[in-house]
Amino acid sequence: MNAETIRTLIENGLPGAQARVQGDDGVHFEATVVAEAFRGKLPLARHRLVYATLGERMGGEIHALALKTLTPEEAGNRE
């Protein structure tokens, strides 16, 4: 598994999402995901949306994924 594949899976699974994924060892990754779909959702619900895009790969090919999930407005306020 590589970061680019994970980015593609997330962006395809959450239409309109933008993901930035990093990870050098092939099993531990960090991702920042910006999506309108996160609006009004608590962090746990946001993470579940991302995990759903990865399916059974979580806990298998992807051992760990540290997530930051933001709405477009939240992402804009961080810059």
Side-chain angles (χ1 to χ4, degrees), residues 29-45:
F29 299 92
E30 295 179 9
T32 300
V33 183
V34 178
E36 184 64 36
F38 298 149
R39 184 178 309 285
K41 292 186 172 46
L42 295 173
L44 183 59

Side-chain angles (χ1 to χ4, degrees), residues 15-33:
Q18 294 181 344
R20 186 173 59 240
V21 182
Q22 298 175 304
D24 295 328
D25 67 2
V27 292
H28 298 91
F29 299 92
E30 295 179 9
T32 300
V33 183

Side-chain angles (χ1 to χ4, degrees), residues 3-14:
E4 183 62 21
T5 300
I6 293 170
R7 182 193 66 77
T8 300
L9 288 166
I10 292 170
E11 290 182 354
N12 288 342
L14 281 172

Side-chain angles (χ1 to χ4, degrees), residues 37-73:
F38 298 149
R39 184 178 309 285
K41 292 186 172 46
L42 295 173
L44 183 59
R46 293 176 178 198
H47 289 199
R48 285 181 178 155
L49 285 173
V50 175
Y51 294 148
T53 69
L54 302 171
E56 294 180 5
R57 293 173 184 90
M58 284 304 304
E61 296 170 80
I62 304 168
H63 180 72
L65 178 64
L67 284 174
K68 290 182 186 173
T69 53
L70 306 164
T71 66
E73 290 76 17

